[in-house]
Amino acid sequence: MQTVTENRSDLEDLHLYATPREQRFRRFASLEFEGQLYMTPYDFIQAVTNDEPKRAKKWRSLSKQELNQILMETPPVWKGSSKLFRNLNEKGVISYTEYLFLLCILTKPHAGFRIAFNMFDTDGNEMVDKKEFLVLQEIFRKKNEKRERKGDEEKRAMLVLKTEGEDLVPRSYWDTLRRSTSQALFSDLAERADDISSSLSDTTLLVHFFGKKGKAELNFEDFYRFMDNLQTEVLEIEFLSYSNGMNTISEEDFAHILLRYTNVENTSSYLENMRCRIPEEKGITFDEFRSFFQFLNNLEDFTIAMQMYNFASRSIGQDEFKRAVYVATGVKLSPHLVNTVFKIFDVDRDDQLSYKEFIGIMKDRLNRGFRGYKPIQRYTTFKSCVRKELYSR
């Protein structure tokens, strides 16, 4: 297998012309086939859980035989699990367009999975075939590139539409695609579906969804399971990177994970505040951890609920917060998790949460990797160190 190293001029071109997502994709991608860059499943996991690649920047040039061997070993969609990407590791290829699709999945609420599926199911037969998938991916790529090159950081986080007689209204990405994809564009791409299919190499995702011959169809149940498994897998990886094999992570580790992908410049005040107010470490379980990020994926609905509660300009208590989360998202957060969140963000220590500040910081957290990373700072408490040392013996 040939190794290709990116030269200085390539990096300069990347800096000048690439969008933030293109930059990140190229920084983590490790495979090249027929002039196109690809990620491995390992690369993708690294790109969404780490600041920088763990290895030197090199591209491995795949032969047609090597690619075919990788695709032959790809499991069918009904064998998917929350360890799919970890099990595939280096034995997979992910295109840039699929990278954009997978990033979107990570922030999609479960209630929105049906909308995403219906976007692909253009003929309404409750099944998605390979051509439908490729056509919408092409539309998705074009709109994503146009969005990133046009807007500022806020417009990169969400598309903003101006409707007649209304102010600028943020909408979810899938909702925007559904409302703004012109029939002419779709028809044009649909007519060229065979050309699009023939011009692209098969990838791990295409074989996983549609089989090695590309003739299988994807139903909603399998699509839903894939999206849920991917969200779970990334959260498991983040959780396990802090738990060291234990069933819980410390409240302080939870705070680090929350603040890591935000634009909060001085995280020390939040961490010090939490240390003082939660002296006895109880720990955050994975179920609690996962439920909080399920809530974050429903942040838009939660924001609307809080406005309906008429708390938009004043602080809220733990009971109101927990009730609003459940009403808006259907997610039940444990009392300990809610208390931990309050201890992190209640800087003035009045047991009230600043609605606007909390929403702003959590929106940053959702934009994983595209508003700037915070270096991992591991100020593990003494008690946590002792406990982990005892469990490791």
Side-chain angles (χ1 to χ4, degrees):
M1 183 180 292
Q2 185 180 359
T3 298
V4 182
T5 304
E6 188 175 47
N7 60 38
R8 183 178 179 84
S9 63
D10 285 331
L11 287 172
E12 289 171 350
D13 289 344
L14 173 62
H15 178 73
L16 288 173
Y17 303 112
T19 66
R21 282 176 173 80
E22 287 172 335
Q23 291 180 30
R24 191 156 188 84
F25 178 82
R26 292 182 60 158
R27 197 155 67 243
F28 281 85
S30 64
L31 298 177
E32 179 272 332
F33 177 73
E34 296 184 346
Q36 296 294 320
L37 290 182
Y38 294 89
M39 281 182 166
T40 65
Y42 174 85
D43 294 334
F44 176 77
I45 291 298
Q46 292 297 306
V48 296
T49 59
N50 287 283
D51 300 356
E52 297 292 337
K54 289 186 176 181
R55 52 196 170 194
K57 174 63 182 190
K58 293 179 180 179
W59 295 331
R60 293 178 292 147
S61 185
L62 283 177
S63 68
K64 183 67 173 177
Q65 182 180 3
E66 289 169 328
L67 176 61
N68 288 339
Q69 183 60 38
I70 287 174
L71 297 179
M72 283 296 294
E73 297 176 11
T74 300
V77 69
W78 54 271
K79 284 190 175 180
S81 73
S82 62
K83 290 182 171 58
L84 176 67
F85 281 59
R86 283 172 284 185
N87 289 340
L88 289 171
N89 198 17
E90 302 281 2
K91 294 183 178 181
V93 289
I94 297 169
S95 70
Y96 173 63
T97 305
E98 291 169 343
Y99 167 68
L100 298 177
F101 167 65
L102 295 173
L103 283 181
C104 189
I105 286 178
L106 292 181
T107 58
K108 194 70 187 165
H110 284 189
F113 286 4
R114 170 60 75 172
I115 295 175
F117 181 81
N118 289 343
M119 281 296 304
F120 287 100
D121 179 22
T122 56
D123 59 10
N125 70 345
E126 296 296 314
M127 303 289 284
V128 171
D129 61 32
K130 185 177 178 180
K131 286 185 180 180
E132 289 175 316
F133 189 78
L134 288 174
V135 167
L136 194 71
Q137 271 202 137
E138 183 68 9
I139 295 173
F140 183 83
R141 181 186 64 79
K142 287 178 180 295
K143 285 192 166 291
N144 187 82
E145 289 178 353
K146 182 178 179 182
R147 176 184 64 158
E148 285 204 331
R149 289 196 168 99
K150 184 177 180 181
D152 56 14
E153 287 294 325
E154 196 62 31
K155 288 180 182 178
R156 288 173 189 160
M158 63 178 73
L159 286 176
V160 182
L161 295 181
K162 187 174 179 63
T163 56
E164 185 176 354
E166 294 179 348
D167 294 328
L168 289 176
V169 181
R171 300 190 184 278
S172 71
Y173 198 69
W174 291 109
D175 186 48
T176 300
L177 273 174
R178 187 185 64 213
R179 292 168 182 266
S180 65
T181 300
S182 69
Q183 188 61 41
L185 172 61
F186 185 86
S187 297
D188 179 59
L189 285 171
E191 289 174 3
R192 295 191 294 110
D194 289 331
D195 293 334
I196 293 172
S197 180
S198 62
S199 66
L200 296 174
S201 299
D202 271 341
T203 63
T204 297
L205 206 57
L206 290 175
V207 172
H208 183 62
F209 284 161
F210 307 109
K212 296 177 175 63
K213 295 183 179 180
K215 303 296 184 182
E217 292 184 313
L218 185 66
N219 62 40
F220 175 68
E221 288 72 24
D222 287 335
F223 185 74
Y224 182 104
R225 188 164 54 249
F226 173 82
M227 295 179 78
D228 184 50
N229 281 337
L230 180 62
Q231 289 185 359
T232 300
E233 181 160 14
V234 171
L235 291 176
E236 282 178 353
I237 290 168
E238 288 189 303
F239 186 87
L240 291 171
S241 70
Y242 281 84
S243 69
N244 294 329
M246 298 174 60
N247 293 326
T248 62
I249 60 173
S250 71
E251 289 79 0
E252 189 169 338
D253 286 341
F254 177 68
H256 280 297
I257 294 172
L258 281 190
L259 296 171
R260 180 182 174 195
Y261 296 95
T262 70
N263 61 1
V264 174
E265 293 183 0
N266 184 17
T267 60
S268 59
S269 60
Y270 291 95
L271 297 173
E272 184 61 33
N273 181 60
M274 195 210 63
R275 289 189 202 106
C276 295
R277 302 188 68 193
I278 308 182
E280 291 296 323
E281 182 182 306
K282 180 180 178 181
I284 303 293
T285 67
F286 179 72
D287 286 342
E288 290 175 318
F289 184 79
R290 187 169 187 260
S291 68
F292 185 82
F293 285 97
Q294 286 176 337
F295 149 65
L296 279 193
N297 286 350
N298 288 272
L299 197 61
E300 284 188 29
D301 291 337
F302 172 74
T303 302
I304 294 171
M306 292 311 300
Q307 291 169 343
M308 292 178 67
Y309 269 103
N310 198 29
F311 286 129
S313 60
R314 59 192 177 101
S315 300
I316 60 173
Q318 293 192 26
D319 288 342
E320 292 88 354
F321 179 84
K322 189 164 58 174
R323 185 162 59 250
V325 169
Y326 180 69
V327 168
T329 70
V331 176
K332 288 186 177 181
L333 301 181
S334 72
H336 175 62
L337 183 63
V338 172
N339 182 59
T340 301
V341 170
F342 268 67
K343 294 302 184 287
I344 295 170
F345 293 101
D346 177 23
V347 179
D348 58 7
R349 305 188 181 188
D350 64 351
D351 206 29
Q352 300 285 304
L353 195 67
S354 169
Y355 159 79
K356 289 184 177 179
E357 182 179 18
F358 174 76
I359 292 295
I361 294 174
M362 290 301 96
K363 281 183 178 179
D364 289 339
R365 181 57 176 80
L366 273 177
N367 297 320
R368 177 192 295 266
F370 299 103
R371 280 179 173 255
Y373 281 87
K374 290 293 176 186
I376 301 177
Q377 295 173 301
R378 304 294 289 272
Y379 302 110
T380 308
T381 60
F382 174 77
K383 180 179 177 181
S384 177
C385 290
V386 172
R387 188 172 65 143
K388 289 178 180 179
E389 177 66 22
L390 288 174
Y391 272 86
S392 66
R393 294 181 177 178

